Amino acid sequence: MKIFISVDAEGICGVSSWHETIPKDPDYNRFRELVTDEVNVVCSAIREVSPRAEIVVCDSHAMGENLFVNKLIKDIYLVRGFPRQYYMMEGLDSSFDGVIFLGYHAMIGSLRGGMDHSYSSSTVYSIKVNGKEYGETDLNAVFAGYYKVPLLLVSGDDVLIKDIKKRYKQVTIVLTKKGISRFSSKSLPLNKVHSDLRIKTITAINNIKKSKPIFITPEYRVEIKFNNTVQADVVSLLPQLKRIDGRTIKFKISDYRDFYSMFMAIILLAATTKTMG
């Protein structure tokens, strides 16, 4: 068995704001311990079902340098650092049996969604594919679906979990906290979250043969709205893109991996505008 785990920060139990996840912040090492512990709970649960399972963990928040490498359980492969072509899904291919999204969050504009955003809070306001708005969970789940790998489990706050239940009923979910505002939440007891992660990971792995990949049928008509006009000014220099309005560009593409790579490049290009003005 081979399992891929993509790990974000915003949906981790006990984390309520971005300052906690910044290396220079006094709380950063506490966050690192929290996220590393959750990864270890999930990896240990996978090994309870399949002792020889190959597990690849993709550290997927900010620069991808959050997990305590020396505190991970034995024999875990770790994708770490930045940049990388497929960022949160780097290292995934068709050889995997399933993916798990740990510590994920609600898409931009979600009421009471903790640190809500859609892939890049500093550049992207929203993204639509074939007329439907998507968040990170959706985009990454479809990336896995490209390789015919199913999404098995998602953990995060109640706003994300409600959305997952509505969109992807077959996916196992783990609630870590309840949203109060964008930067405030009520975390469940840590021991309960760890217990739920263990039990539900075991359930998800045992049900893996019943799980089905998530797809978006090509071709992909993509619209990306940026936080401000200068980001769209810079990104629209790419000849493949068409400017719709002050903050929005669009393009069409037939291969989902190419779309994902293009999206990563667009985000990085938009980020260069931080030095302007």
Side-chain angles (χ1 to χ4, degrees), residues 14-76:
V15 178
S16 292
S17 62
W18 278 310
H19 77 79
E20 300 172 82
T21 71
I22 298 172
K24 293 182 180 180
D25 193 89
D27 286 329
Y28 181 57
N29 280 339
R30 181 183 66 85
F31 157 68
R32 295 184 73 192
E33 289 179 0
L34 290 171
V35 67
T36 303
D37 286 347
E38 287 198 17
V39 169
N40 281 338
V41 168
V42 171
C43 290
S44 296
I46 294 169
R47 290 270 169 79
E48 283 189 55
V49 180
S50 180
R52 294 187 177 183
E54 180 178 327
I55 303 171
V56 176
V57 174
C58 187
D59 191 335
S60 300
H61 178 69
M63 295 293 103
E65 298 171 342
N66 305 288
L67 297 172
F68 279 121
V69 181
N70 59 321
K71 293 185 179 180
L72 290 172
I73 66 169
K74 293 181 180 180
D75 300 321
I76 300 299

Side-chain angles (χ1 to χ4, degrees), residues 1-7 39 42-43 46-47 52-60 67 72-80 84 87-93 95-102 104 149 205:
M1 181 175 291
K2 195 172 179 181
I3 303 296
F4 184 93
I5 304 173
S6 177
V7 188
V39 169
V42 171
C43 290
I46 294 169
R47 290 270 169 79
R52 294 187 177 183
E54 180 178 327
I55 303 171
V56 176
V57 174
C58 187
D59 191 335
S60 300
L67 297 172
L72 290 172
I73 66 169
K74 293 181 180 180
D75 300 321
I76 300 299
Y77 294 90
L78 176 64
V79 177
R80 180 177 168 86
R84 49 199 194 221
Y87 188 37
M88 301 183 81
M89 304 301 288
E90 186 67 45
L92 182 72
D93 58 33
S95 67
F96 286 84
D97 298 292
V99 299
I100 291 173
F101 294 163
L102 190 62
Y104 270 51
V149 180
I205 297 299

Side-chain angles (χ1 to χ4, degrees), residues 18-189:
W18 278 310
H19 77 79
E20 300 172 82
T21 71
I22 298 172
K24 293 182 180 180
D25 193 89
D27 286 329
Y28 181 57
N29 280 339
R30 181 183 66 85
F31 157 68
R32 295 184 73 192
E33 289 179 0
L34 290 171
V35 67
T36 303
D37 286 347
E38 287 198 17
V39 169
N40 281 338
V41 168
V42 171
C43 290
S44 296
I46 294 169
R47 290 270 169 79
E48 283 189 55
V49 180
S50 180
R52 294 187 177 183
E54 180 178 327
I55 303 171
V56 176
V57 174
C58 187
D59 191 335
S60 300
H61 178 69
M63 295 293 103
E65 298 171 342
N66 305 288
L67 297 172
F68 279 121
V69 181
N70 59 321
K71 293 185 179 180
L72 290 172
I73 66 169
K74 293 181 180 180
D75 300 321
I76 300 299
Y77 294 90
L78 176 64
V79 177
R80 180 177 168 86
F82 188 83
R84 49 199 194 221
Q85 187 172 8
Y86 301 118
Y87 188 37
M88 301 183 81
M89 304 301 288
E90 186 67 45
L92 182 72
D93 58 33
S94 58
S95 67
F96 286 84
D97 298 292
V99 299
I100 291 173
F101 294 163
L102 190 62
Y104 270 51
H105 56 82
M107 72 171 67
I108 189 72
S110 300
L111 179 64
R112 292 189 293 275
M115 294 167 275
D116 63 302
H117 64 284
S118 293
Y119 230 104
S120 171
S121 60
S122 63
T123 58
V124 176
Y125 180 76
S126 65
I127 177 168
K128 291 182 179 180
V129 181
N130 296 349
K132 187 174 182 179
E133 188 169 355
Y134 286 105
E136 282 171 43
T137 304
D138 308 291
L139 296 174
N140 292 344
V142 176
F143 186 88
Y146 175 92
Y147 290 108
K148 299 182 180 179
V149 180
L151 175 60
L152 306 178
L153 181 146
V154 176
S155 73
D157 70 12
D158 59 325
V159 180
L160 171 67
I161 295 307
K162 183 179 179 181
D163 192 43
I164 295 298
K165 284 182 176 179
K166 181 171 62 176
R167 292 182 187 239
Y168 313 116
K169 295 180 180 179
Q170 78 278 13
V171 175
T172 301
I173 51 90
V174 176
L175 177 68
T176 61
K177 54 191 159 184
K178 296 182 179 180
I180 297 173
S181 69
R182 196 182 197 204
F183 298 120
S184 179
S185 62
K186 181 181 180 181
S187 286
L188 275 63

